[in-house]
């Protein structure tokens, strides 16, 4: 007879193979027509190095049942050969013959691998790529993998490679997330290979530092957020409420440790437009700032930019301070159109020609 060799070229790890005759045995000069053929099923298994397959002693007898088909046990990875010795037992002379040999290949077990566990990241501003740790990517199967990514247990729905309005970018075996605002976010990925099993990595947790509260700045002279001064005067600014958040344990306490400071100025622009602020002149990186002499008339706006130095989180900016500088004092001009001479004991009327 002839074994059916129409079996998938590869089977998945621990699948079974159903082996049957494509054409049944014939002949053998059976005297007792009520008798049937006897079948001995043999298996040869190897993973790396093929041995001598011509020696039947190297084959394993896996079944002696009188059957015309055989379903294997679950098969670990490797290559398996199968053949059947068919015997016409009731012949006057014992006759036996072997079928053709068929091959069954079994993929290795699919192992999910492990994602890299990142350290705590900054609130909102820190992009992070989530992927497999070095030498810990998926293995097994046919080594071609499909990836389905999950965030907090829900499938991430990608469209043209992006999700969440561009916040997450799909790169097959890794994703890039551009912003996190939750304290903790879990991710895992499912891997499928061939038509075999689907396996999943253990979830990792992205931990996010608290957002930076930049605190409050005020004017030393009046402890307020605005002041009106004369032309070419100076103003002293300071932190009245210290910053907090990020990775700093000394949140909101008067300290320079863990923070960097940058005083900013906006001359005559829109106080709400951060793009119009530039570094203020002078010593501008301390907890206090003294302006230069401010010429009037004009409006000056100041902010303090805060960055957390340990993880470089931020920056964040305070609300602005408004300094209005008045026009330079002009005493005016007296009217000098008066008679050159007055009579004795007359009065003179002196007035401003132009007011101050």
């Amino acid at each position: 007879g002839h074994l059916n060799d129409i079996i998938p070229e590869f089977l998945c790890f621990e699948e079974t193979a159903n082996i049957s005759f494509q054409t049944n045995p014939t002949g053998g000069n059976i005297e007792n027509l009520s008798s049937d053929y006897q079948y001995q099923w043999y298996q040869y298994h190897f993973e790396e190095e093929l041995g001598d397959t011509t020696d039947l002693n190297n084959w394993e007898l896996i079944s002696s049942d009188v059957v015309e088909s055989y379903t294997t046990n679950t098969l670990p990875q490797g290559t398996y050969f199968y053949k059947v010795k068919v015997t016409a037992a009731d012949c006057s002379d014992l006759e036996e013959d072997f079928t053709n040999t068929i091959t069954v290949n079994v993929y290795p077990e699919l192992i999910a691998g492990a994602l890299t566990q990142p350290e705590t990241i900054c609130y909102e501003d820190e992009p992070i790529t989530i992927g497999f740790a070095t030498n810990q990517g998926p293995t097994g199967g046919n080594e071609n993998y499909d990836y389905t990514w999950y965030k907090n247990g829900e499938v991430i729905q990608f469209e043209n490679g992006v999700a969440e309005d561009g916040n997450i970018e799909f790169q097959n075996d890794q994703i890039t997330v551009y912003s996190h605002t939750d304290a903790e976010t879990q991710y895992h990925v499912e891997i499928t290979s061939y038509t075999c099993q689907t396996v999943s990595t253990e979830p990792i947790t992205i931990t996010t530092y608290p957002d930076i509260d930049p605190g409050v700045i005020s004017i030393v002279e009046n402890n307020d957020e605005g002041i009106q001064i004369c032309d070419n005067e100076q103003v002293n600014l300071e932190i009245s409420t210290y910053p907090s958040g990020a990775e700093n344990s000394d949140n909101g306490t008067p300290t320079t440790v863990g923070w960097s400071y940058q005083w900013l100025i906006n001359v005559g622009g829109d106080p709400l437009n951060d793009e119009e602020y530039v570094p203020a002149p002078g010593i501008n990186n301390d907890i206090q700032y003294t302006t230069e002499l401010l010429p009037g008339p004009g409006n000056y706006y100041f902010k303090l930019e805060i960055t957390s130095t340990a993880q470089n989180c931020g920056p964040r900016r305070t609300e602005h301070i408004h300094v209005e500088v008045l026009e330079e004092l002009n005493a005016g001009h007296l009217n000098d159109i008066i008679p050159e001479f007055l009579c004795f004991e007359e009065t003179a009327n002196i007035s401003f020609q132009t007011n101050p």
Side-chain angles (χ1 to χ4, degrees):
H2 188 86
L3 293 181
N4 191 343
D5 50 13
I6 304 176
I7 294 178
E9 184 179 0
F10 285 91
L11 296 180
C12 297
F13 180 77
E14 292 191 340
E15 277 193 317
T16 61
N18 186 17
I19 304 169
S20 62
F21 279 86
Q22 184 175 4
T23 59
N24 291 325
T26 58
N29 191 27
I30 296 177
E31 294 179 351
N32 183 358
L33 296 178
S34 64
S35 298
D36 205 346
Y37 299 101
Q38 293 182 353
Y39 303 90
Q40 289 181 312
W41 296 78
Y42 286 88
Q43 172 185 278
Y44 184 96
H45 171 229
F46 75 96
E47 288 189 40
E48 295 181 0
E49 186 173 340
L50 177 63
D52 182 7
T53 60
T54 62
D55 185 352
L56 191 61
N57 292 322
N58 293 333
W59 291 68
E60 178 187 0
L61 177 63
I62 56 176
S63 176
S64 294
D65 293 338
V66 183
V67 291
E68 295 176 357
S69 66
Y70 176 77
T71 299
T72 69
N73 295 325
T74 56
L75 300 176
Q77 72 183 62
T79 298
Y80 297 81
F81 298 141
Y82 293 94
K83 65 182 179 179
V84 181
K85 183 169 75 170
V86 181
T87 303
D90 289 338
C91 292
S92 55
D93 294 320
L94 180 66
E95 293 191 28
E96 60 184 22
D97 191 19
F98 281 95
T99 65
N100 60 308
T101 299
I102 64 169
T103 303
V104 175
N105 296 295
V106 181
Y107 282 127
E109 181 180 10
L110 181 59
I111 305 296
L115 298 177
T116 300
Q117 175 63 59
E119 301 202 2
T120 304
I121 63 173
C122 298
Y123 181 92
E124 190 174 43
D125 300 313
E126 185 172 348
I128 184 170
T129 296
I130 301 169
F132 290 92
T134 303
N135 298 324
Q136 293 192 46
T139 58
N142 68 347
E143 298 185 353
N144 293 316
Y145 307 116
D146 293 322
Y147 301 88
T148 303
W149 287 90
Y150 288 77
K151 176 181 178 181
N152 293 329
E154 299 289 334
V155 175
I156 302 174
Q157 302 291 345
F158 289 98
E159 184 174 347
N160 297 323
V162 296
E164 295 183 0
D165 295 326
N167 186 47
I168 305 179
E169 185 176 304
F170 176 71
Q171 296 150 328
N172 207 26
D173 62 345
Q174 64 183 27
I175 58 174
T176 297
V177 187
Y178 290 94
S179 176
H180 283 90
T181 55
D182 293 333
E184 290 187 346
T185 309
Q186 280 197 341
Y187 294 92
H188 74 276
V189 60
E190 284 186 350
I191 299 105
T192 303
S193 179
Y194 189 51
T195 58
C196 299
Q197 66 213 103
T198 295
V199 295
S200 177
T201 62
E202 290 295 318
I204 61 166
T205 300
I206 305 297
T207 304
T208 304
Y209 287 121
D211 193 14
I212 294 175
D213 181 344
V216 178
I217 58 174
S218 60
I219 299 167
V220 173
E221 284 78 3
N222 64 0
N223 196 32
D224 203 350
E225 298 176 0
I227 194 171
Q228 191 177 68
I229 63 173
C230 294
D231 175 65
N232 276 328
E233 288 188 334
Q234 293 175 298
V235 173
N236 296 296
L237 308 177
E238 66 177 359
I239 299 174
S240 53
T241 300
Y242 276 77
S244 60
E247 76 282 17
N248 294 290
S249 59
D250 51 357
N251 286 337
T253 59
T255 180
T256 58
V257 176
W259 302 102
S260 66
Y261 302 99
Q262 173 74 70
W263 290 91
L264 305 172
I265 187 172
N266 174 350
V267 181
D270 179 1
L272 302 180
N273 185 354
D274 273 346
E275 294 184 359
E276 296 186 20
Y277 286 82
V278 297
I283 301 174
N284 59 16
N285 58 357
D286 205 347
I287 59 176
Q288 293 183 325
Y289 175 69
T290 299
T291 71
E292 295 186 325
L293 297 174
L294 301 177
N299 290 293
Y300 297 81
Y301 305 99
F302 296 90
K303 288 188 175 187
L304 181 60
E305 186 173 87
I306 311 293
T307 301
S308 178
T309 55
Q311 294 295 332
N312 200 33
C313 292
R316 294 289 186 268
R317 293 180 177 182
T318 64
E319 295 296 320
H320 68 271
I321 290 290
H322 178 205
V323 177
E324 181 184 2
V325 182
L326 300 176
E327 186 178 358
E328 180 183 6
L329 178 62
N330 185 333
H333 188 81
L334 294 180
N335 194 339
D336 52 9
I337 305 176
I338 296 176
E340 186 177 356
F341 289 96
L342 296 179
C343 294
F344 177 73
E345 292 189 346
E346 272 192 313
T347 60
N349 184 17
I350 304 170
S351 62
F352 281 89
Q353 184 177 1
T354 58
N355 291 325

